[in-house]
Amino acid sequence: MKTQSDSLHRFLFEHAPIRGELVHLDASWRGVLERRDYPPLLRQMLGELCAAAVLLAATLKLDGSLVLQIQGRGAIKLLVVECSGDLKLRATAKWEGPLHGGLPELVGDGRFVITLDPKNGKQAYQGVVALEGESVAEILQNYMTRSEQLETRLWLAADDHAASGMLLQKLPEQAEEDADAWSRVAQLADTLRDDELLQLPALELLRRLYHEETVRLFEVQPVSFGCTCSRDSVAQMLRMLGEEEVETLLSERQTIEVHCEFCNHRYEFDKVDAAQLFAAAVPVAASETHH
């Protein structure tokens, strides 16, 4: 029985103040992997961060996008994932040398930043997450419990083919029919194996874990790989460099090439493009782009 591809499922416990989400990424995750040759350990961590980003973006119900970014001074220099409100995902990573050990050792003296970007010209919100925990899941659930004051648990898994995750969150206290519900639901989820999280369909997974609970599963939401880079955004970046700097670059080479870190798309600007770039009221020429 195959899991539903690139999907997010929300669910709710009918007789307890607990909500949850399940995400499964396959084509969207492979869309990230096919653009870079990541070492196995880095693939696992980046996949877990991708699953977490989708779960959190869906929880926050964003109009803009959520960015999860781990900056390190160890072997891992950067892990960054962006997920839009309509669940379009992109990710990239940078590292140096061989990778051994867990996340704290690989990141070293680093920081974890969460950015909420409304994408409407308004100021983005940025929060720094304490690197407290041995995994992406532990770090994020500690942060969410403190910042939102809602108890939150995360289970994440990733391999070369898929990335998946489950989130449980205890809602603000209501008249509780079952005082032990949160503890019981979380303990059952702790029995979940990585292979089950990666391979089982949402309905089958919830039945295995919570066959004695009443769980309402909502309509599925699609997830996809999607990069927001464009020729216009690269042109704007070149304008910010200034005409003199762009002319200097072009005097050293025939063209300026800019590669998107997320999708590896290449944008190329020559001297004619540059002249049009800085000409008043003249749009950027639609020169060829190459992969």
Side-chain angles (χ1 to χ4, degrees):
M1 192 174 189
K2 290 186 177 181
T3 187
Q4 188 157 358
S5 302
D6 294 294
S7 58
L8 177 109
H9 290 84
R10 301 175 192 269
F11 57 94
L12 186 70
F13 289 80
E14 294 282 16
H15 304 300
I18 301 169
R19 67 182 177 191
E21 294 171 357
L22 277 165
V23 64
H24 182 85
L25 312 173
D26 51 17
S28 54
W29 171 229
R30 292 193 297 273
V32 172
L33 292 182
E34 67 188 16
R35 288 162 171 83
R36 292 282 190 281
D37 185 18
Y38 296 119
L41 195 54
L42 188 61
R43 287 200 297 269
Q44 178 188 338
M45 292 178 181
L46 188 60
E48 291 176 358
L49 198 65
C50 284
V54 176
L55 290 169
L56 298 186
T59 300
L60 296 168
K61 300 179 182 178
L62 297 169
D63 290 327
S65 66
L66 167 76
V67 180
L68 302 183
Q69 182 170 314
I70 298 176
Q71 301 167 333
R73 295 184 181 178
I76 290 180
K77 305 301 180 186
L78 179 71
L79 295 173
V80 57
V81 179
E82 181 177 7
C83 184
S84 63
D86 57 356
L87 304 188
K88 286 186 171 58
L89 177 77
R90 63 178 188 166
T92 190
K94 293 181 180 179
W95 75 100
E96 287 182 4
L99 303 182
H100 303 288
L103 182 61
E105 294 81 12
L106 289 167
V107 172
D109 182 18
R111 63 177 192 154
F112 194 151
V113 180
I114 295 181
T115 303
L116 302 179
D117 186 350
K119 300 288 187 183
N120 58 5
K122 295 183 179 179
Q123 187 173 1
Y125 164 80
Q126 199 168 74
V128 178
V129 181
L131 287 170
E132 297 176 351
E134 297 296 315
S135 66
V136 171
E138 285 185 15
I139 291 168
L140 282 172
Q141 67 191 17
N142 287 339
Y143 168 77
M144 291 187 69
T145 297
R146 291 177 184 176
S147 65
E148 294 193 21
Q149 298 181 335
L150 292 175
E151 289 192 66
T152 302
R153 294 290 309 276
L154 279 165
W155 293 264
L156 305 169
D159 60 19
D160 292 350
H161 308 288
S164 296
M166 183 169 76
L167 176 147
L168 291 176
Q169 198 163 60
K170 187 178 181 182
L171 299 172
E173 292 294 341
Q174 303 167 8
E176 289 194 79
E177 300 176 22
D178 185 349
D180 298 323
W182 173 250
S183 176
R184 183 176 65 254
V185 165
Q187 286 176 7
L188 287 169
D190 280 334
T191 68
L192 188 61
R193 303 191 310 268
D194 285 356
D195 63 318
E196 292 176 317
L197 189 56
L198 289 167
Q199 297 171 17
L200 290 179
L203 185 58
E204 177 66 18
L205 189 151
L206 291 174
R207 280 176 177 166
R208 283 198 185 188
L209 289 177
Y210 303 121
H211 58 278
E212 294 185 356
E213 310 286 342
T214 304
V215 181
R216 188 196 319 170
L217 188 63
F218 295 93
E219 187 175 348
V220 64
Q221 292 179 259
V223 185
S224 61
F225 175 85
C227 190
T228 56
C229 74
S230 68
R231 185 172 177 81
D232 285 344
S233 63
V234 175
Q236 182 60 30
M237 180 193 71
L238 293 176
R239 287 192 189 97
M240 291 174 68
L241 282 178
E243 187 170 5
E244 184 177 341
E245 180 67 22
V246 169
E247 287 179 352
T248 300
L249 290 171
L250 285 169
S251 70
E252 299 169 355
R253 64 201 75 166
Q254 292 292 319
T255 61
I256 297 173
E257 292 183 6
V258 178
H259 291 258
C260 176
E261 291 287 340
F262 290 96
C263 69
N264 209 29
H265 198 83
R266 185 178 75 173
Y267 296 92
E268 187 175 288
F269 289 77
D270 59 19
K271 291 181 180 180
V272 174
D273 295 328
Q276 292 182 335
L277 197 62
F278 294 100
V282 177
V284 178
S287 297
E288 253 185 79
T289 59
H290 306 272
H291 289 280

